[in-house]
Amino acid sequence: MRTFGISDRSLHLIDAPEPTPATGEVLVDVHTIGVNRADVAEVAGAYPPPPFLTPLRTADGAEFCAPGVEIAGTRRDTGEEVVALVAGNGYAEVVAVEESALLPLPQQPTTPADGIADGDRPADGNPEATGTASDRFAFAASVLEAAATVVSNLHLETQVRAGERVLIHGATGSVGLTAVQFAKARGAHVTAIAGSDTNAALLRRIGADVALNRHDGDVLEQIAAGDGPRSFDVILDVLGGGDALEKNVSALSEYGRLVIIAVLAGATGTLPVMQVMLKKAHIIGTTLRFRRGEAKAQVMEAVRSQMWPLIQSGQIRVPIQAEVPFEDAAAAHQILRAGGHLGKVVLRVR
């Protein structure tokens, strides 16, 4: 099978034997792969695979791990069309998957949701942006990881409720767009942060009550000068460290919950402990990739029960930034590194 190895912080297409499924695993013939920032970070050497991930082997027996956590394809044993979250090795034509990490392919909505049009593109007008998925496999690979991230953090971890004030950083990626729409479906007041006026306008169209361009100045100063909330019950953060940690804590309300899902601004920062104590705040850090077994199954069940109805009805919709041939995975990574993309990048295997 074709897969990708990593060397010198670059992807290299190689041929390797198919994986042998362990007990409780099945083989999936992959049609499409969702491209995520975790994949880019792994290639850069900043996000190693979990220690429990079974490595692949080259024809001469050398072990390696491929990136990739989100796939859609066909179960080889039953022929069922499925989507799966894996701990790694997803950039391959065949992937061994825990049965607990599988869900049936979601139905692609036949009518578009309000707010996101088929022609929506990022602010730079990238002509590769296609807007909609070309088929059901591309659609499935564009929604699962974002749905799982959002439901695990805004439902399982923070239990966002109607009337709560939610701040979402990085709101025009697939996770951010999904989070805005999910929080609004829960009845929350949403403030969303974008990287351009064009994308801020799109966030308002899909339901954000307040949408700000981070390039217009310090986000907290913009919040303080605006008409929206000054503090937040829940903050979904992709920045992590640097001065973002202290600023996010300062923006929390009493009993507020800050959930950190990425470290784009740095892996370390200063925690204002007294503010955390006085606000009775909760600081939560999560990652999907290091969950397995019952923990992974809990997230997948929440996706099925909480997210699939909203996604299949079109209430939550994420545009496709680009569908890229499998062998051109490096080009897909470059789209994410360049920033400014809107929605999801998908690799087409077959």
Side-chain angles (χ1 to χ4, degrees):
M1 68 173 187
R2 295 183 303 164
T3 184
F4 279 94
I6 301 171
S7 63
D8 299 325
R9 299 189 176 184
S10 299
L11 287 168
H12 298 276
L13 188 65
I14 59 176
D15 287 313
E18 293 183 358
T20 300
T23 301
E25 292 183 336
V26 299
L27 291 181
V28 173
D29 291 309
V30 178
H31 287 245
T32 53
I33 302 163
V35 180
N36 296 288
R37 288 194 180 276
D39 310 340
V40 178
E42 182 174 352
V43 173
Y47 192 27
F52 56 79
L53 179 65
T54 301
L56 300 174
R57 293 180 181 273
T58 63
D60 59 6
E63 294 185 344
F64 70 99
C65 291
V69 298
E70 177 181 25
I71 63 169
T74 306
R75 280 184 65 150
R76 186 170 289 181
D77 57 347
T78 66
E80 181 184 11
E81 295 178 346
V82 294
V83 64
L85 277 180
V86 294
N89 295 333
Y91 282 26
E93 292 180 313
V94 181
V95 177
V97 182
E98 283 184 284
E99 286 213 61
S100 62
L102 290 169
L103 286 175
L105 222 63
Q107 293 182 354
Q108 188 173 359
T110 56
T111 57
D114 292 339
I116 296 180
D118 287 350
D120 273 327
R121 285 172 165 76
D124 62 3
N126 188 328
E128 293 184 84
T130 60
T132 54
S134 62
D135 67 10
R136 61 194 182 280
F137 290 105
F139 172 73
S142 74
V143 298
L144 176 60
E145 192 272 345
T149 298
V150 169
V151 81
S152 65
N153 290 293
L154 296 188
H155 174 63
L156 296 176
E157 294 288 351
T158 60
Q159 297 91 42
V160 168
R161 298 180 293 274
E164 289 197 304
R165 299 156 299 179
V166 178
L167 172 63
I168 298 170
H169 291 282
T172 53
S174 58
V175 170
L177 288 167
T178 302
V180 169
Q181 295 169 90
F182 180 76
K184 288 304 299 179
R186 284 285 177 97
H189 183 287
V190 175
T191 298
I193 310 304
S196 71
D197 291 339
T198 299
N199 287 348
L202 179 138
L203 290 170
R204 286 188 285 271
R205 292 206 307 275
I206 66 171
D209 299 281
V210 178
L212 303 174
N213 180 354
R214 68 178 184 275
H215 297 300
D216 286 344
D218 182 86
V219 167
L220 291 189
E221 291 179 4
Q222 292 187 61
I223 289 171
D227 297 327
R230 303 294 195 272
S231 63
F232 300 92
D233 302 297
V234 175
I235 299 176
L236 184 64
D237 178 49
V238 297
L239 301 173
D243 63 356
L245 178 59
E246 192 167 4
K247 288 181 177 180
N248 277 326
V249 171
S250 72
L252 284 174
S253 62
E254 189 175 28
Y255 299 105
R257 293 94 77 197
L258 167 62
V259 58
I260 302 169
I261 62 172
V263 290
L264 298 181
T268 60
T270 300
L271 179 67
V273 177
M274 183 59 73
Q275 283 196 59
V276 173
M277 294 167 61
L278 293 175
K279 293 183 176 186
K280 285 79 72 180
H282 296 258
I283 313 297
I284 305 164
T286 70
T287 177
L288 280 177
R289 191 179 186 188
F290 283 72
R291 303 187 196 202
R292 57 177 172 169
E294 290 186 8
K296 178 72 72 66
Q298 180 189 33
V299 172
M300 298 301 282
E301 172 55 26
V303 169
R304 186 198 63 77
S305 64
Q306 302 295 320
M307 301 299 292
W308 265 195
L310 296 171
I311 289 169
Q312 293 178 149
S313 69
Q315 288 180 262
I316 291 178
R317 183 160 178 249
V318 175
I320 299 288
Q321 162 70 33
E323 288 188 32
V324 179
F326 178 62
E327 58 271 18
D328 295 331
H333 282 206
Q334 181 55 36
I335 294 172
L336 268 65
R337 284 195 297 268
H341 64 286
L342 178 66
K344 195 72 174 186
V345 177
V346 173
L347 295 179
R348 168 67 61 180
V349 180
R350 52 170 62 87

